[in-house]
Amino acid sequence: MSITQKNPTLLSPLSGSPIIHDCVQDWVNALVELMEPDSIHWCDGSAEEAAHLTRVLVEQGTLHPLNPDLRPNSYVARSEPSDVARVEARTYICSREEADAGPTNNWEDPELMREKLRELARGSMAGRTLYVVPFSLGPLGSPLARMGVQVTDSAYVALNLHIMVRVTEEVWGRIDSGANWVKCVHTVGAPLAPHQVDVAWPCNDTKYISHFPEGREIWSYGSAYGGNALLPKKAFALRIASVLAKEEGWLAEHMLLVKVTSPEQKSYNMVAAFPSACGKTNFAMMQPSLPGWKVETLGDDIAWLAPGKDGRLRAINPEAGFFGVAPGTGPGTNPVAMDMLWGNAIFTNVATTAEGDVWWEGQSPEAPEGLTDWKGDPFNPALGGHAAHPNSRFTVGLEQCSTLAPEWMDPEGVVVDAIIFGGRRSSTVPLVLEARDWNHGVFLGATIASEQTAAAEGEVGKVRRDPFAMLPFCGYNMGDYMGHWLDMGNTLRKTGRLPRIFQVNWFRKDDAGRFIWPGFGENSRVLEWMVNRLEGRVSATASPLGWLPTALNIDGLALSAEELEVLLHVDPLEHERELKEAATFLSTFGSRLPAGISAELESTRVRLRQ
Ligand code: GTP
Ligand code: SPV
Ligand code: MN
């Protein structure tokens, strides 16, 4: 039941509403008292509710309907130009001890941060509706699923949550204490004075994305964009979940999840961790160029992995939708995504066409005439610049993806056969290699570096260490996190088969600055090599970095043998430098760096000098 209470002081459940546990009622009551919304809306996740939220947002000018003949039930939102990506500098892990947040996270004392947030949040929802959104990450009732409730004063956020997670009243029946759900508080920080006219994208220049791991609580202030505001995504499913996972013996990872089937009809499930805007969604929807191969989608951004009853590592996708990068998505690169965006989609910060459709760089070679850019201004290609913001995104449900694997609802998850780490590197790092063993694979994950993208504020193109693609998403000390990965290996080794670990880099460039590897569907050639390795069918060449392909299938590709050599080349001098940088990074963890990682570092150093 979707209920709006006009008078927020009347919080006892209305007749006919589901029984909502006191711990939720008390929490919402306290927030209402603090933030002073005009009304409260208890969400139920229904289609009627989505229609209501959409109507509100269209009236408010936040959503612009697209041409229903071209893209039914689809809308464009244009954010404030200052609110376009995750704000890592404003993201905090407020553990009791600073050392538990570690050197890669911003830390603040939890009590001081709560105090600060309480002051900011006081009266922050004035003139607005407070939406209470109950959700499940993962299929409700699955041993791997977790529940949460997000409170938000943004109808745009509530509507996106409808798509991104399983919003359902069934959650109310399962919340029986303060312990088994995560509290997510979100306000755009833009109270309205009486009769003040609202803006299309309310937000605040002051932003805080704060996590309280011990309290299982998240507070987000000032932004309505992506991971800053859709709290079940990065804030819960990665930062808080990584802490739960460490305590409970599982893994919460920034990974896509796919099922790969070979021409012999053998299937393997793979996860791959690449940093933001480095190819997860594209990989997850890959259309293999090699005949007979099939890739089916299970997840494109987050995977939760845990040893199953059979002792093998299993994975689920906790999400229910895609929040994907629009630019670069086109019929040639990701036809599956293009198809799934036929309707029922929300586009944020893309350009719009004169016909009332969407456009972004990479959708077609030329920008059509008469575009309106992401800020709502006429687009003039002669002036340069982007029509769509580089971090413009689409929100659409998983079920619209034609390559969705039938196992996507399986509460037990799927067995993981291979783990892939990757990054965006224009030089140095080979196209693909295989780790020598689990610990070496963990070392590869721990030392991955990548060029920064537009998915977060910061200098685009700058190389930074992004261990496990989790640098912005690990909710605790990353040294302990590396140790947890090593421990998981020990656990899995006792009970069953360990997944094999690979590393890839689709992004090596030539001297002219062009990508050497064609990427996208052609990445299936790399999958073929991996599957051949899993099946013990091909040998590999030892290198100081791990096992390199002795041969790779490039039949029919416009790629010379010399280019392939460049793609697989390991330059000892370059890697000495690389290793030095990795060592400097790892040394920042001090005594929290696991001995197993130091040992791998030393072993790689020795191998490079041999
Ligand atoms: P997040 O949602 O931010 O976590 O990003 P993601 O890892 O899912 O990245 P996504 O698949 O959306 O790709 C980001 C950009 O990289 C897009 O512009 C893609 O076109 C581009 N890209 C993806 N795969 C490849 C590839 O194999 N080769 C090249 N050259 N570009 C790629
Ligand atoms: C990422 O940045 O890795 C994303 C987008 O997937 S966001 O949800 O904004 O974090
Ligand atoms: Mn991501």
Side-chain angles (χ1 to χ4, degrees):
M1 187 168 315
S2 189
I3 300 167
T4 304
Q5 287 170 319
K6 275 293 170 207
N7 181 349
T9 54
L10 274 181
L11 260 185
S12 54
L14 299 180
S15 66
S17 68
I19 308 286
I20 297 174
H21 196 273
D22 281 352
C23 66
V24 178
Q25 295 276 355
D26 293 348
W27 176 67
V28 174
N29 279 341
L31 293 173
V32 166
E33 197 171 307
L34 177 70
M35 303 201 270
E36 300 170 16
D38 267 13
S39 56
I40 302 174
H41 181 125
W42 294 82
C43 291
D44 63 1
S46 64
E48 295 72 38
E49 183 172 270
H52 164 76
L53 291 168
T54 304
R55 246 186 336 266
V56 166
L57 287 162
V58 170
E59 271 167 30
Q60 205 171 290
T62 308
L63 289 187
H64 306 274
L66 291 166
N67 183 338
D69 295 333
L70 301 174
R71 227 166 274 272
N73 190 33
S74 298
Y75 300 85
V76 165
R78 295 191 173 92
S79 79
E80 259 303 300
S82 59
D83 195 24
V84 293
R86 282 183 296 100
V87 284
E88 294 181 4
R90 309 297 306 164
T91 301
Y92 292 83
I93 302 298
C94 305
S95 46
R96 257 175 245 129
E97 300 293 330
E98 183 170 4
D100 290 337
T104 57
N105 282 313
N106 301 311
W107 177 84
E108 177 66 273
D109 175 82
E111 281 322 304
L112 287 181
M113 181 59 91
R114 280 182 199 283
E115 197 55 39
K116 217 180 275 186
L117 287 166
R118 265 198 296 270
E119 279 319 304
L120 283 170
R122 203 174 298 285
S124 72
M125 292 191 182
R128 301 194 179 279
T129 298
L130 179 154
Y131 298 92
V132 187
V133 189
F135 62 87
S136 174
L137 286 172
L140 198 75
S142 152
L144 287 157
R146 292 290 182 277
M147 295 181 297
V149 182
Q150 176 161 346
V151 153
T152 177
D153 56 2
S154 164
Y156 165 86
V157 166
L159 185 61
N160 273 272
L161 291 178
H162 261 241
I163 300 174
M164 289 308 300
V165 290
R166 294 161 170 89
V167 176
T168 162
E169 286 188 310
E170 283 178 62
V171 163
W172 298 135
R174 292 171 182 259
I175 287 182
D176 52 9
S177 74
N180 68 343
W181 57 289
V182 171
K183 302 178 177 72
C184 309
V185 182
H186 172 246
T187 170
V188 293
L192 291 167
H195 310 298
Q196 184 183 340
V197 179
D198 203 1
V199 293
W201 187 278
C203 62
N204 195 304
D205 286 345
T206 301
K207 294 179 175 42
Y208 281 97
I209 322 298
S210 298
H211 306 73
F212 302 89
E214 287 104 352
R216 315 282 192 247
E217 198 173 343
I218 302 155
W219 279 69
S220 165
Y221 179 90
S223 169
Y225 203 91
N228 295 336
L230 309 174
L231 300 185
K233 198 170 175 56
K234 296 311 192 336
F236 179 171
L238 291 178
R239 298 195 191 98
I240 297 291
S242 62
V243 174
L244 302 177
K246 165 89 162 70
E247 288 170 12
E248 299 167 5
W250 51 284
L251 296 164
E253 299 299 327
H254 191 202
M255 288 173 165
L256 66 91
L257 173 58
V258 290
K259 175 179 171 187
V260 178
T261 304
S262 70
E264 291 82 33
Q265 300 308 311
K266 287 204 182 134
S267 293
Y268 299 93
N269 302 305
M270 302 186 179
V271 290
F274 307 159
S276 302
C278 290
K280 289 184 298 302
T281 303
N282 279 272
F283 189 143
M285 295 169 196
M286 191 190 300
Q287 293 291 94
S289 61
L290 292 181
W293 287 81
K294 188 156 89 173
V295 172
E296 288 167 282
T297 314
L298 286 154
D300 83 321
D301 198 51
I302 298 176
W304 285 354
L305 300 83
K309 287 190 208 97
D310 55 3
R312 297 197 62 185
L313 190 63
R314 290 178 164 266
I316 61 160
N317 170 14
E319 302 190 279
F322 303 106
F323 184 63
V325 178
T329 308
T333 55
N334 193 345
V336 175
M338 291 308 292
D339 283 349
M340 79 180 174
L341 296 172
W342 64 267
N344 304 325
I346 300 171
F347 298 88
T348 304
N349 288 346
V350 302
T352 46
T353 67
E355 295 75 38
D357 203 359
V358 286
W359 193 83
W360 47 75
E361 280 73 12
Q363 194 187 109
S364 57
E366 297 281 325
E369 295 273 316
L371 281 182
T372 301
D373 74 8
W374 67 277
K375 291 182 181 168
D377 298 325
F379 179 63
N380 182 353
L383 296 178
H386 304 282
H389 187 277
N391 191 39
S392 54
R393 300 244 167 194
F394 52 78
T395 318
V396 70
L398 277 183
E399 67 287 350
Q400 293 213 177
C401 177
S402 62
T403 54
L404 195 62
E407 295 88 345
W408 74 286
M409 296 260 257
D410 189 340
E412 303 296 324
V414 296
V415 169
V416 175
D417 300 291
I419 297 172
I420 305 167
F421 295 116
R424 183 183 283 268
R425 292 298 298 271
S426 47
S427 69
T428 315
V429 180
L431 176 66
V432 59
L433 56 81
E434 185 183 352
R436 285 184 283 275
D437 55 27
W438 180 270
N439 279 19
H440 179 235
V442 173
F443 173 74
L444 292 177
T447 52
I448 287 269
S450 191
E451 289 151 22
Q452 275 182 253
T453 66
E457 94 287 24
E459 191 186 331
V460 171
K462 192 174 168 214
V463 175
R464 68 172 183 182
R465 296 285 135 193
D466 190 348
F468 303 81
M470 283 288 280
L471 182 73
F473 306 123
C474 183
Y476 62 101
N477 189 309
M478 194 117 215
D480 296 348
Y481 168 93
M482 293 171 194
H484 180 49
W485 264 85
L486 296 173
D487 289 346
M488 287 295 295
N490 292 333
T491 305
L492 293 167
R493 213 175 274 121
K494 276 185 223 133
T495 51
R497 220 162 351 131
L498 281 166
R500 302 265 283 270
I501 302 182
F502 298 87
Q503 181 189 305
V504 300
N505 173 29
W506 312 143
F507 298 97
R508 206 154 170 166
K509 288 183 177 169
D510 63 17
D511 294 338
R514 281 178 300 241
F515 292 116
I516 304 174
W517 181 247
F520 304 102
E522 302 296 357
N523 292 334
S524 57
R525 296 165 186 275
V526 173
L527 293 186
E528 180 190 53
W529 184 73
M530 290 174 180
V531 166
N532 280 336
R533 290 292 294 166
L534 295 180
E535 294 182 352
R537 282 212 277 202
V538 290
S539 61
T541 307
S543 90
L545 307 185
W547 296 104
L548 288 168
T550 309
L552 193 75
N553 174 2
I554 56 164
D555 293 352
L557 269 192
L559 189 83
S560 66
E562 293 73 38
E563 284 172 316
L564 182 62
E565 215 175 289
V566 173
L567 285 170
L568 296 175
H569 184 62
V570 172
D571 181 311
L573 281 179
E574 277 179 357
H575 282 279
E576 284 260 2
R577 200 180 57 224
E578 190 75 13
L579 202 68
K580 230 183 235 157
E581 282 168 20
T584 306
F585 173 72
L586 293 175
S587 71
T588 61
F589 297 100
S591 63
R592 307 285 271 249
L593 185 72
I597 297 292
S598 307
E600 291 297 329
L601 181 71
E602 195 43 43
S603 140
T604 305
R605 191 175 282 141
V606 169
R607 285 168 203 266
L608 272 169
R609 290 194 177 148
Q610 272 166 1

